[in-house]
């Protein structure tokens, strides 16, 4: 791993502020955060970058590991250490309230503390593209999914072109816009707009950015998405994974006029159908007796479904009640 002086010596620009701000959020990632930070620091760029890392009151050894890196790279890494968990507070949005206001860069890169980058030129490639294509405001790359020791590739290398343009007509078709690979123009997204969304997710950020320009999927493998039992997404039931995505996209559709395309309508129908069928599996779950989400998903699906699909679903509903 290069030391701080070696990294900075490669930066050609003499600007006061870094060109790219890397935002990393972490919580109880002691087994992963070292690899994540090393992936950032291994980036070979001609421009300056900063790393803003937000720890949400971890109870393991994460803070100690971060402090060790800060002591070695004080001019590059800026930590934010919370004394109490902020993610659990409904009125708080970590991205809008804490990390985004700290950024100095023209561009922002995102990666959570349990994922990591593997291409040393990832940032340089994405920034070069955005600098040379001013009608684009956000980029993503291909990635591996890591389950235990296995690295699982996507099929994007054979199914998508070298540069795949993403707008509201192609967003989620396929779903290749993962957080850990994203780099976007800071002025393309207002954090206060982002905070207005009740069901805000990374897709909300992407939708807001796409109102100000096009997105591009750059077809090279730049990162690793880690699937593990302690991940926030993996801890959710299949129903909650789908229904939360549905609520998120529905809110985007209702509040961002540019998103009201046939493509987004189709994705909404698919998510609602998947949520409703997953909800059937929960009807006998005693822990969910007081939850209304699965009932809401079922009722909304039945209100919108065609006659034949309603019959198919109602038959499944009856079978699940026996």
């Amino acid at each position: 791993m290069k030391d701080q002086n070696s990294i900075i010596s490669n930066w050609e620009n003499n600007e006061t502020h870094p060109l790219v701000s890397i935002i990393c959020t972490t919580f109880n990632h002691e087994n992963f955060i070292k690899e994540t930070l090393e992936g950032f620091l291994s980036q070979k760029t001609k421009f300056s970058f900063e790393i803003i890392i937000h720890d949400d009151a971890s109870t393991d050894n994460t803070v100690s590991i971060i402090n060790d890196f800060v002591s070695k790279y004080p001019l590059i890494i800026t930590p934010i250490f919370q004394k109490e968990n902020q993610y659990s507070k409904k009125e708080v949005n970590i991205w809008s309230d804490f990390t985004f206001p700290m950024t100095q860069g023209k561009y922002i890169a995102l990666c959570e503390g349990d994922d990591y980058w593997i291409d040393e030129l990832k940032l340089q490639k994405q920034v070069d593209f955005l600098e040379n294509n001013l009608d684009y405001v956000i980029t993503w790359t291909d990635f591996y999914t890591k389950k235990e020791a296995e690295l699982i590739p996507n099929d994007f290398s054979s199914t998508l072109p070298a540069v795949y343009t993403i707008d509201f007509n192609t967003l989620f078709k396929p779903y290749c816009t993962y957080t850990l690979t994203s780099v976007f123009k800071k002025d393309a997204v207002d954090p206060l707009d982002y905070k207005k969304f009740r069901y805000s997710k990374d897709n909300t950020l992407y939708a807001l950015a796409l109102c100000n320009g096009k997105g591009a999927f750059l077809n090279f493998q730049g990162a690793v998405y880690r699937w593990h039992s302690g991940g926030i997404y993996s801890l959710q039931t299949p129903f909650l994974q789908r229904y939360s995505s549905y609520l998120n996209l529905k809110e985007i559709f209702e509040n961002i006029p540019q998103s009201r395309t046939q493509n987004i309508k189709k994705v909404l129908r698919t998510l609602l159908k998947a949520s409703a069928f997953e909800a059937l599996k929960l009807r006998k779950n005693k822990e969910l007796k007081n939850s209304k989400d699965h009932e809401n998903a079922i009722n909304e699906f039945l209100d919108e479904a065609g006659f034949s699909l309603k019959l198919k679903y109602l038959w499944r509903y009856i079978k699940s009640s026996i």
Side-chain angles (χ1 to χ4, degrees):
M1 178 60 59
K2 293 181 291 186
D3 61 23
Q4 180 171 261
N5 290 335
S6 297
I7 295 172
I8 293 176
S9 65
N10 290 321
W11 296 346
E12 295 178 357
N13 59 343
N14 294 313
E15 297 178 3
T16 305
H17 301 304
L19 186 66
V20 176
S21 298
I22 302 169
I23 293 179
C24 178
T25 55
T26 187
F27 175 72
N28 286 352
H29 288 154
E30 65 177 359
N31 295 324
F32 315 122
I33 191 62
K34 181 176 183 292
E35 194 167 21
T36 303
L37 289 172
E38 288 177 346
F40 300 157
L41 294 165
S42 68
Q43 291 297 298
K44 295 179 179 179
T45 66
K46 297 177 182 179
F47 52 79
S48 57
F49 62 83
E50 65 175 347
I51 301 167
I52 297 172
I53 182 162
H54 177 280
D55 180 81
D56 204 10
S58 290
T59 57
D60 62 3
N61 200 40
T62 302
V63 170
S64 176
I65 297 170
I66 293 172
N67 273 326
D68 183 52
F69 274 87
V70 172
S71 68
K72 297 174 182 176
Y73 303 91
L75 299 179
I76 300 175
I77 302 176
T78 301
I80 303 172
F81 295 126
Q82 299 292 352
K83 294 183 178 179
E84 59 178 336
N85 187 268
Q86 302 297 314
Y87 179 80
S88 58
K89 298 179 181 180
K90 292 183 179 179
E91 73 278 7
V92 172
N93 182 283
I94 291 173
W95 191 74
S96 299
D97 294 332
F98 298 111
T99 56
F100 191 99
M102 294 280 291
T103 59
Q104 303 179 73
K106 177 181 178 181
Y107 300 101
I108 292 178
L110 302 177
C111 183
E112 295 186 356
D114 50 353
D115 301 322
Y116 60 100
W117 298 345
I118 55 174
D119 188 325
E120 294 178 336
L121 295 175
K122 175 187 178 296
L123 279 185
Q124 187 69 58
K125 292 174 184 177
Q126 290 179 271
V127 169
D128 283 347
F129 180 87
L130 289 169
E131 290 279 275
N132 293 319
N133 298 274
L134 299 182
D135 51 337
Y136 287 80
V137 296
I138 186 167
T139 62
W140 301 268
T141 80
D142 197 358
F143 59 93
Y144 291 98
T145 298
K146 187 171 186 177
K147 293 186 176 181
E148 297 182 352
E150 183 182 9
L151 284 177
I152 305 169
N154 300 298
D155 63 356
F156 302 142
S157 60
S158 59
T159 59
L160 294 178
V163 177
Y164 177 59
T165 295
I166 294 175
D167 55 24
F168 288 113
N169 293 308
T170 57
L171 186 62
F172 312 127
K173 192 173 66 175
Y175 188 41
C176 56
T177 52
Y178 273 54
T179 309
L180 73 159
T181 73
S182 60
V183 175
F184 62 95
K185 291 182 179 178
K186 180 179 180 178
D187 62 8
V189 181
D190 185 335
L192 295 180
D193 286 342
Y194 180 82
K195 193 174 181 179
K196 294 174 184 176
F197 287 78
R198 179 182 177 187
Y199 302 106
S200 60
K201 285 188 172 186
D202 299 329
N203 290 334
T204 309
L205 186 151
Y206 305 155
L208 289 170
L210 290 174
C211 291
N212 296 297
K214 294 183 289 188
F217 174 82
L218 307 182
N219 209 342
F220 68 91
Q221 288 166 320
V224 174
Y225 173 72
R226 198 189 301 268
W227 182 274
H228 61 96
S229 59
I232 292 175
Y233 187 76
S234 59
L235 286 173
Q236 295 180 344
T237 64
F239 166 74
L240 283 177
Q241 290 174 2
R242 289 157 180 77
Y243 193 57
S244 63
S245 294
Y246 168 73
L247 292 175
N248 169 240
L249 189 57
K250 181 182 179 184
E251 186 175 47
I252 290 170
F253 187 85
E254 292 172 346
N255 290 279
I256 299 178
Q258 296 95 319
S259 72
R260 296 168 195 164
T261 62
Q262 290 302 314
N263 172 53
I264 300 299
K265 288 180 182 178
K266 182 178 179 181
V267 176
L268 275 171
R269 289 194 297 268
T270 300
L271 286 172
L272 181 58
K273 178 183 175 182
S275 300
F277 276 88
E278 286 293 339
L280 286 181
K281 302 173 185 178
L282 305 177
R283 296 188 65 243
K284 293 184 179 181
N285 189 323
K286 294 180 180 179
E287 295 179 2
L288 294 171
K289 272 191 172 181
N290 296 323
S291 172
K292 293 294 182 182
D293 283 347
H294 60 295
E295 292 182 15
N296 292 338
I298 291 172
N299 292 334
E300 190 167 354
F301 169 72
L302 290 175
D303 286 343
E304 297 185 11
F307 181 71
S308 60
L309 188 54
K310 279 183 181 178
L311 286 179
K312 179 181 178 181
Y313 188 81
L314 289 172
W315 173 240
R316 293 257 190 112
Y317 185 93
I318 293 169
K319 288 176 66 177
S320 71
S321 302
I322 298 174

